[in-house]
Structure formats: structure tokens, C-alpha cells
Amino acid sequence: MKNRRSKSLFAVAVSAGLVVAACGSDEKKAADTTAATTAPTTAASTADTVAAGAGGSLAGICPDLITLQTDWMPEAEHGFVYNMIGDDFTMDAGQAFVTGSLIDATGADTGVDLQIRSGGSPQNFDPVSVIMYNKEDTFLGFVNTDEAIKNSATNPTVAIESGFNKNPQIIMWDPAVYPDVKTITDLGTEGVKIRYFDGGAYMDFLTSTGVLSKDQVDGSYSGDPNLYITDEGKAAQQGYGSAEPWLYEHEYTTWLKPVAYQYVDDLGWNPYAESIATKPENITTYAECFKVLVPIIQQSTVDYLTDPTRANVIINAAVASFGADFGWTYSPATLDYGVKTILADGLVANGPNDTIGNFDTDRVAELIVKAIPVFTAQDSPPKEGLTPEDIITTEFLDPTIGL
């Protein structure tokens, strides 16, 4: 789903004055890109007793190479998975992969490797759930709940950890041009033109519920900030709350003014973003793997928001290594802003029972009800009789891990 910010931010950023990140390693080592995703040959009888996120071997119960497909290029939103990459990481600049030992919360090697595969341009902007079926060696991937609903009949996935409790998607506007606009609903009342990536399900939801009108939304947005800048903020625009407000105020030199914004989540379209998902059959086949791996992911999320320093070194190195080759620039200052905003705005937060990575089943059920008519109108009807249990599971979460 085209929910992201830009298909070609490198070209855009040059004209807008964005500084290319130059820190990190320049070393470009080819990584082994073949994932062993065959069923494990042994089971871990002690998996249930492993300390949460703080140890336990994944060897023999997980693939030797755990591949994880993200939905975009390296950024703050992905920090919790980069935090699980060991210091032995290498870059495959040609494919935009980062590979290294998968480490636990103590920094110990778990006996398997983790390969983080960048999405967006390197994957021709394909949705992650589609990539997981087109590339059989993809073991895990970031799949938003609304994407899982949409593709439940054709490319089904089950999320094992919720990632973001609140979707970073925003609609932003110039408060100087529209001083009386305080919300997205106000944009609808004022009839303000809104640019967005065509096909965004949230926009169909907003127009079908009357928050916005179809004649005021423009699906031609391609991520180019110059459209917003050259018309002097007369049109509103989609973005990410963890990036665009900083970029426009501090890094786009032809603007350098604040923007106002509201999260789409506030209006009732509230998928879990950056959720880590897998194919349904893996839930049984790799159950022993997930019992150990998911608590490591949970603890890594907490640790990244507590101290992002080490993971941010890897993200900056990845951007420096292959970002420009795929039209992506992302400054260390933007990365720092992203982490702070993720925490301050509750984008990553505890779910039910104060557990990080948890799902609210009722919330997912409500989204399914809202999403079915939206996706059916897009000729992508979800699985008939879809339930939350078809697309999420809380089976492997450690309830004691939280912020």
C-alpha cells in the first residue's frame, strides 16, 4: 500500500536542500541472500523458560538466516529491528540488505543471522505481503493491519507482534494559510485540497464517511515537497508525523516553517503499523522459534526507545551505504527527531495489559468491519468471514515486557 512519503526523495531533497547523511561505514560487503526457511529439525524444549528478551539460542528452531522485509528504506520506525543486528553487520548495497548476527537484549549471539531487507524503491514499491509470496525466502515482514485485511484472501499473513500501536500517517497543512484549521475534519469543512498517494485506504475511508469529500482529494502526490512549497501551502498533504514536521521546518531550505498536522489514527482508521508478520503456516511450523524470538523483539523495542544510539549507527551506515542509490536521503537529525516523536506521540506504546507489541482484538475486529467495504470497492475484497484471529496472534508475546 502506498502509505509512505516518497518514491524519489533523493532527487526531491537535492532541490529542497536536504542534506545527505554522510556518517556510518562506507564498507559494502555482499551478504548471503539465501534464507534457509525449511522447517526446523529440532525443537527447543526449554523455550518457555528462557528469560524474556535476555537470552536463548534460536539455532535449530529458527531458520539459520531470518529474513525480514521492511516497508521502506532505513529509518527511525525500523529502529527496533536494527537494534537486534550485531556489530558484525555487513551491507549488500546492490539489494539494500543489512545482515548480521541476531543478538538478544544482552548482546549475546542467538546462533542465527538476521537480514533486514529495505522496502520501497528496492522492491519496486510492492506491498510487503505480496513480496512474501513472490519471494519464497522471505520469512518475516512489516505488514500493517489494513494491508493484512486487504490481502487476506490472496496473500494471507499473521502478525506475531504489533510494532506500532499508532500509525504514523498524518495529513498536514500550513497553519499560517489556514489558522482556523485544527483538525482533518476542519480541512473537510473548508474544502481544502489534499494531496496523497493514490490507493491509500485511509483516504477512501475518510471520503466514504464524509470527513472529506471526493472532489477535494488529489491522488497525484508522489512525495515531492516542491508541490507543497511552490503553491505556498494552499494544499494540504499526507506525511509521517515522525518525519515531515521536522523536514519542513528544519531541512527543506525553501520552506523552513512549521506545519500543523493530525494523525489519521485519530479519526478511527487505526491499523497497527510495522507489525511483524509471517505466513499462516509458519505459526505452527516455527512455534518454538517464535516463543523465543518474539520476546527478543519486544525487549528490543523497549531498549531502542530507551537508548537508540547503537541501532542508529547501523541505520545511518545503511543510508550512507545504499540510500542514494535508491533515491533515499535521511539525515541523522531526522533520525533523532523520529525516535523522540515515536515515543512522545505514543506511536509505539504498550497494548492491552501493559504489554509492548500486544494487540487489542476488539480494535482489530472494528477495523475489519470498517475496511471490508473500502477494500471491496477497490476490487480487493478480504477473505470471506475474516476474523482478527486470521491476521494476528498474541500466542508468543511475553506479557511482562512493556514500556
Side-chain angles (χ1 to χ4, degrees), residues 60-236:
I61 57 172
C62 294
D64 293 337
L65 178 64
I66 293 179
T67 56
L68 190 153
Q69 178 63 59
T70 71
D71 56 353
W72 204 246
M73 296 291 285
E75 57 185 355
E77 290 82 1
H78 304 168
F80 71 109
V81 292
Y82 281 98
N83 197 53
M84 298 187 296
I85 290 271
D87 292 338
D88 60 350
F89 67 89
T90 61
M91 307 286 177
D92 183 337
Q95 299 189 83
F97 294 169
V98 179
T99 307
S101 300
L102 196 159
I103 60 173
D104 66 12
T106 70
D109 190 335
T110 61
V112 302
D113 290 335
L114 174 63
Q115 182 173 90
I116 301 174
R117 300 178 172 184
S118 296
S121 178
Q123 303 296 334
N124 297 313
F125 304 98
D126 287 338
V128 174
S129 56
V130 173
I131 296 169
M132 293 178 74
Y133 280 84
N134 289 342
K135 297 183 178 180
E136 291 295 325
D137 64 344
T138 308
F139 184 56
L140 302 174
F142 284 170
V143 180
N144 288 10
T145 317
D146 50 357
E147 180 184 336
I149 295 170
K150 179 178 181 178
N151 293 328
S152 57
T154 55
N155 299 295
T157 57
V158 178
I160 57 177
E161 196 267 353
S162 67
F164 275 46
N165 193 58
K166 183 173 182 177
N167 194 343
Q169 191 80 54
I170 62 169
I171 295 177
M172 66 182 213
W173 61 91
D174 184 352
V177 176
Y178 299 107
D180 296 330
V181 170
K182 307 300 180 184
T183 66
I184 295 172
T185 301
D186 292 341
L187 290 172
T189 301
E190 297 292 328
V192 178
K193 180 179 180 179
I194 302 172
R195 296 190 185 94
Y196 74 105
F197 276 126
D198 189 33
Y202 72 91
M203 190 60 75
D204 288 339
F205 169 73
L206 294 177
T207 56
S208 67
T209 54
V211 174
L212 302 174
S213 62
K214 290 184 177 180
D215 60 0
Q216 77 176 114
V217 299
D218 178 357
S220 66
Y221 179 64
S222 64
D224 185 349
N226 288 319
L227 294 174
Y228 184 90
I229 292 168
T230 55
D231 76 0
E232 300 180 332
K234 293 183 177 64

Side-chain angles (χ1 to χ4, degrees), residues 193-333:
K193 180 179 180 179
I194 302 172
R195 296 190 185 94
Y196 74 105
F197 276 126
D198 189 33
Y202 72 91
M203 190 60 75
D204 288 339
F205 169 73
L206 294 177
T207 56
S208 67
T209 54
V211 174
L212 302 174
S213 62
K214 290 184 177 180
D215 60 0
Q216 77 176 114
V217 299
D218 178 357
S220 66
Y221 179 64
S222 64
D224 185 349
N226 288 319
L227 294 174
Y228 184 90
I229 292 168
T230 55
D231 76 0
E232 300 180 332
K234 293 183 177 64
Q237 179 180 287
Q238 75 161 64
Y240 257 30
S242 46
E244 265 73 10
W246 171 268
L247 290 170
Y248 279 82
E249 185 171 359
H250 298 282
E251 298 204 16
Y252 292 150
T253 57
T254 53
W255 185 261
L256 297 182
K257 295 182 292 183
V259 297
Y261 64 92
Q262 184 183 16
Y263 288 100
V264 174
D265 184 277
D266 296 342
L267 284 88
W269 187 263
N270 51 2
Y272 290 96
E274 318 292 11
S275 295
I276 295 183
T278 191
K279 292 180 180 178
E281 59 266 27
N282 289 335
I283 297 298
T284 300
T285 303
Y286 289 98
E288 296 300 325
C289 170
F290 295 144
K291 287 178 184 178
V292 183
L293 177 60
V294 171
I296 291 175
I297 296 170
Q298 290 176 272
Q299 189 61 50
S300 183
T301 303
V302 174
D303 292 344
Y304 178 68
L305 293 177
T306 302
D307 183 3
T309 305
R310 200 190 68 85
N312 282 357
V313 168
I314 303 175
I315 294 173
N316 284 323
V319 173
S321 175
F322 54 74
D325 294 339
F326 293 98
W328 178 242
T329 58
Y330 192 72
S331 74

Side-chain angles (χ1 to χ4, degrees), residues 325-341:
D325 294 339
F326 293 98
W328 178 242
T329 58
Y330 192 72
S331 74
T334 305
L335 177 56
D336 290 342
Y337 171 83
V339 177
K340 293 174 183 177
T341 304

